[in-house]
C-alpha cells in the first residue's frame, strides 16, 4: 500500500496548475487535479485568450477606415454585431478548455471538477463528493480574483472582467474604473467597437509602474481614439436609476452615467476558505501564499505557483513556475524561475510592449542611464492618413553599455518585444543592437538604428 493516495494533488486547473500536473505525471507521479470552475483557468476562460480575440475584433474598425486610402471601397458601411463576436469567442473558449482537459487526461492525471480544500499538510477534501485524498505534495494554483478594495456603496452594480465577456447586449455607454492592464485594454477595445467609453482613474496618469514616456503617450492616444479620460478622480458610490442606468459619483467632478460600469481595480490571490490556515501556511498581506524560489511554502509539502503567490502575475510566469516545480520535485532536474526580465504587453490600440527596467526604475536602482528614443509615423499611416505615432525607447546603462529596458508603443509592440526580450535576457549591449543590420522597411528596425542618446 502506498503511503499516500497520490503523489501530487493540484488545486486549480489554470495555466500553472495544469502545466505542473502534466509535467509531474510525465515524470511518473500519480497526480490528481481539482477545478471548481472551468478547466483552463483565468487566461483561457476569462482573461488573455477571449480578451485578445476581442482586441482583434476591435481593430477591424480602423482597418476598414484605413483601407480607403489604399484604394478599397466598401459598398456599405461596416456594421458590428456583438452577439456574433461574443458567441464565437465563447465557442473558442469551450474548445480550448476541452483541449486542456484532454491534455490532462492524456497525461493520466485524474480530474475532479469540484472545489477542493486543504485539511492538513498531506490531506485535501473534495467538497461536493466529500472524498478525502491524501497527497505527498499539494500544489495550490488557484490564481486570483477581481477585487474592489475598499468596497464602495453600490459597488455590486459594477461588473468585473469575469462578466464582461458575456454582456447580453453591447452597451451604448461604458464607464471603466481603474488605470491598469485590464481597464485600459477594455476601454480601448470597447471604444473601437462603438461604445462611448469613459475611463475613471484615481491616479494622475494611467499604467503606474510603466515607463513615463509610454504612459503619457498611451494616455494621449486613448484620448485621441475617443476614450474620455477622467484622471485624478476617486469613485465614491454607484447608484442605479429607474431605467437601469448606472450613475457613478466621484470625489472630484460631475457624476458619470453609463449602461455598464466595468470595475478593473486589480486582482487578489484566491486563497479564501482554502484551508491554508488549518495547515499552518503563511500568507502575505493580500492573502498570497508566501513561497521560496522553489515555490514551496513554510509547510514543506505545500507549494504554490502563479497569481496565488502574487509574484509576477502573468500566465507564462505561472506556467514556468508550475513546470519548474514539477521537474524539481518529480524529475531529475531541479531549477527555479528567473523573475527578473519578464516581457509583457498591454493590448490596447496602440499596443504597449515592455521588457526590463523603465527609465525611472533604472535611475532609482542607481544606474547612470543613456536613453535612446525614436518617435515616428508608421509607414501605413502615410497613405491611410491616420493620426498615429509609434514610440520606441531603449534604456542603456552608461557604465557598461548594457540595455536595461526596451519600451514600445505602437503596432505589434508585444510581438517585437517578445523577440527583443531574448537579447535582453542574454545581456545585450547597445553596441550589440548597433551591429545588428536593420530589416527594412519595418518599424522594429528603429531599435537598431538609434545612434544619438537623448540630451540631458
Ligand atoms: P492592475 O494592478 O494592473 O491595475 C489596477 C488599477 O486599479 C490600478 O490603476 C490601480 O490604481 C487601480 N485601483 C486599485 N484599487 C483601486 C481602488 N480601490 N479604487 C480605484 N482604483 C483602484 O490590475 P488589473 O486589474 O488591471 O490586472 C490584474 C493583473 O492581471 C495585472 O497585474 C496583470 O498582471 C494581469 N493582466 C495582464 C494582462 C496582460 O499581460 N496583457 C492583461 C490583463 C491582466 P493605482 O495605479 O493608483 O494603484
Amino acid at each position: 500500500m502506498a503511503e499516500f493516495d497520490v503523489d501530487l494533488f493540484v488545486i486549480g486547473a489554470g495555466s500553472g496548475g495544469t502545466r505542473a500536473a502534466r509535467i509531474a505525471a510525465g515524470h511518473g507521479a500519480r497526480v490528481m487535479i481539482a477545478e471548481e470552475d472551468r478547466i483552463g483557468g483565468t487566461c483561457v476562460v476569462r482573461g488573455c485568450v477571449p480578451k485578445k480575440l476581442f482586441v482583434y475584433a476591435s481593430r477591424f474598425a480602423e482597418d476598414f477606415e484605413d483601407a480607403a486610402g489604399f484604394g478599397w471601397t466598401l459598398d456599405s458601411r461596416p456594421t458590428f454585431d456583438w452577439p456574433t463576436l461574443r458567441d464565437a469567442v465563447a465557442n473558442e473558449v469551450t474548445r480550448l478548455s476541452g483541449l486542456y482537459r484532454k491534455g490532462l487526461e492524456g497525461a493520466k492525471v485524474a480530474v475532479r471538477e469540484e472545489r477542493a480544500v486543504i485539511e492538513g499538510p498531506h490531506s485535501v477534501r473534495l467538497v461536493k463528493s466529500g472524498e478525502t485524498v491524501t497527497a505527498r505534495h499539494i500544489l495550490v494554483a488557484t490564481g486570483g480574483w477581481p477585487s474592489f478594495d475598499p468596497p464602495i456603496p453600490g459597488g455590486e452594480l459594477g461588473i468585473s472582467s469575469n462578466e464582461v465577456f458575456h454582456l447580453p447586449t453591447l452597451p451604448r455607454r461604458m464607464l471603466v474604473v481603474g488605470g491598469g492592464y485590464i481597464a485600459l485594454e477594455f476601454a480601448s477595445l470597447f471604444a473601437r467597437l462603438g461604445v462611448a467609453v469613459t475611463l475613471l482613474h484615481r491616479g494622475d496618469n494611467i499604467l503606474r509602474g510603466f515607463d513615463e514616456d509610454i504612459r503619457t503617450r498611451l494616455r494621449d492616444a486613448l484620448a485621441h481614439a475617443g476614450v474620455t479620460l477622467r484622471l485624478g478622480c476617486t469613485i465614491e458610490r454607484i447608484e442605479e436609476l429607474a431605467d437601469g442606468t448606472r450613475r457613478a459619483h466621484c470625489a472630484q467632478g460631475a457624476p458619470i452615467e453609463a449602461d455598464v460600469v466595468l470595475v478593473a481595480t486589480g486582482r487578489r490571490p484566491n486563497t479564501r476558505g482554502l484551508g491554508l490556515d488549518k495547515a499552518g501556511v503563511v500568507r502575505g498581506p493580500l492573502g498570497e501564499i508566501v513561497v521560496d524560489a522553489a515555490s514551496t511554502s513554510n509547510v514543506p509539502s505545500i507549494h504554490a505557483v502563479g497569481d496565488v503567490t502574487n509574484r509576477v502575475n502573468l500566465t507564462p510566469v505561472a506556467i514556468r513556475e508550475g513546470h519548474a516545480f514539477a521537474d524539481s520535485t518529480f524529475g531529475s532536474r531541479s531549477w527555479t524561475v528567473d523573475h527578473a526580465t519578464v516581457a509583457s504587453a498591454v493590448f490596447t490600440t496602440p499596443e504597449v510592449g515592455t521588457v526590463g527596467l523603465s527609465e525611472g526604475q533604472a535611475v532609482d536602482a542607481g544606474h547612470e542611464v543613456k536613453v535612446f528614443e525614436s518617435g515616428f509615423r508608421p509607414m501605413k499611416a502615410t497613405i491611410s492618413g491616420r493620426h498615429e505615432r509609434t514610440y520606441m525607447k531603449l534604456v542603456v546603462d552608461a557604465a557598461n553599455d548594457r540595455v536595461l529596458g526596451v519600451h514600445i508603443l505602437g503596432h505589434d509592440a508585444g510581438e517585437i518585444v517578445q523577440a527583443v526580450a531574448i537579447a535582453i535576457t542574454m545581456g545585450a549591449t547597445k553596441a550589440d543592437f548597433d551591429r545588428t543590420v536593420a530589416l527594412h522597411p519595418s518599424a522594429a528596425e528603429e531599435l537598431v538604428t538609434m545612434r544619438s542618446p537623448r540630451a540631458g
Side-chain angles (χ1 to χ4, degrees), residues 310-332:
N310 198 30
R311 286 178 280 182
V312 177
N313 297 334
L314 296 169
T315 299
V317 176
I319 290 173
R320 197 162 272 236
E321 289 167 357
H323 201 134
F325 159 75
D327 274 352
S328 307
T329 310
F330 300 103
S332 53

Side-chain angles (χ1 to χ4, degrees), residues 108-240:
K108 306 237 174 327
V109 174
V111 179
R112 296 285 185 273
E113 288 190 64
E114 58 176 302
R115 181 170 173 78
V117 293
I118 294 172
E119 290 286 312
H122 293 283
S123 174
V124 173
R125 180 168 52 86
L126 289 158
V127 173
K128 204 166 79 198
S129 59
E131 188 187 350
T132 296
V133 181
T134 59
R136 185 180 302 278
H137 295 278
I138 296 169
L139 178 70
V140 184
T142 48
W145 201 251
S147 104
F148 194 7
D149 190 27
I152 58 162
E156 71 284 355
L157 293 168
I159 62 165
S160 75
S161 54
N162 289 350
E163 291 81 42
V164 77
F165 298 104
H166 310 290
L167 290 173
T169 53
L170 187 68
R172 196 168 57 79
R173 304 159 300 173
M174 179 181 276
L175 172 64
V176 180
V177 184
Y181 284 86
I182 296 180
L184 298 177
E185 290 178 344
F186 283 105
S188 168
L189 76 87
F190 275 109
R192 285 176 171 80
L193 294 179
V195 178
V197 176
T198 302
L199 182 91
L200 180 78
H201 175 46
R202 64 183 179 184
D204 292 335
N205 202 354
I206 56 174
L207 276 187
R208 186 164 60 84
F210 282 65
D211 192 274
E212 288 299 322
D213 285 301
I214 296 287
R215 297 175 74 191
T216 304
R217 284 170 173 79
L218 177 61
R219 180 197 67 197
D220 295 348
L222 289 175
H224 188 80
V227 176
T228 303
L229 297 171
R230 289 274 299 267
L231 301 178
C233 278
T234 312
I235 188 165
E236 291 192 316
R237 74 186 163 91
I238 307 172
E239 62 172 325
E240 183 174 10

